[in-house]
């Protein structure tokens, strides 16, 4: 009986953090204009001319962050992401398809401003809220 508790707990955890549906629908692919806009942002930052200890700032819209997230998520696996700004919080959502289970891993991360930095305000993996 005790030997069955571990595997059953893992199955329950797997069911709680995965879903048969993605919370972030896969949108259209990146256009040439999207890629050029990303290149322009990187050029304006001048990261190649950055010296040690020097700080650079960039102003990004939720759409810019969403496009960047989609590139990152797309490189990691089959998935999609989006970003929104709501109530002064940056809310990031992503869904990854788990091919060996034919299920999705859905993530939500909310960041709130604390002084000059962003701090994690909420983190959810599937239906589980993480501290």
């Amino acid at each position: 009986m005790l030997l069955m508790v571990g595997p059953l707990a893992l199955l329950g955890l797997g069911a709680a953090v995965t879903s048969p549906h993605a919370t972030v629908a896969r949108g259209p692919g990146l256009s040439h204009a999207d890629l050029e806009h990303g290149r322009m942002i990187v050029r304006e930052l001048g990261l190649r001319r950055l010296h040690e200890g020097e700080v650079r700032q960039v102003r990004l819209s939720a759409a810019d962050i969403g496009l960047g997230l989609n590139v990152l998520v797309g490189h990691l696996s089959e998935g999609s992401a989006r970003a929104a700004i709501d109530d002064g919080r940056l809310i990031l959502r992503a869904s990854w398809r788990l091919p060996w289970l034919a299920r999705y891993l859905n993530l939500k991360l909310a960041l709130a401003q604390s002084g000059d930095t962003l701090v994690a305000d909420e983190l959810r993996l599937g239906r589980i809220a993480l501290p």
Side-chain angles (χ1 to χ4, degrees):
M1 177 71 172
L2 189 58
L3 291 175
M4 292 182 64
V5 172
L8 288 176
L10 284 176
L11 282 174
L13 181 62
V17 299
T18 63
S19 170
H21 307 287
T23 57
V24 180
R26 208 159 160 83
L30 295 174
S31 69
H32 289 291
D34 294 333
L35 294 173
E36 186 54 39
H37 182 66
R39 286 186 193 105
M40 182 197 64
I41 290 171
V42 171
R43 272 194 307 270
E44 285 179 2
L45 267 173
L47 295 176
R48 292 185 181 172
R49 298 178 309 275
L50 189 65
H51 300 287
E52 188 174 333
E54 188 177 353
V55 176
R56 302 269 170 98
Q57 293 182 352
V58 64
R59 184 174 297 250
L60 300 172
S61 69
D64 292 335
I65 295 168
L67 286 171
L69 281 175
N70 270 308
V71 170
L72 177 64
V73 168
H75 283 299
L76 295 176
S77 91
E78 183 180 329
S80 190
R82 74 172 176 249
I85 298 173
D86 187 26
D87 272 344
R89 298 186 322 158
L90 175 61
I91 301 171
L92 310 173
R93 296 179 193 271
S95 295
W96 289 274
R97 185 174 181 280
L98 303 173
W100 62 91
L101 290 177
R103 292 180 65 86
Y104 290 87
L105 180 62
N106 296 307
L107 172 81
K108 176 184 178 187
L109 173 62
L111 301 168
Q113 188 170 354
S114 177
D116 290 339
T117 62
L118 293 174
V119 295
D121 186 47
E122 179 184 359
L123 178 60
R124 294 186 77 75
L125 192 55
R127 293 178 299 209
I128 297 179
L130 301 171

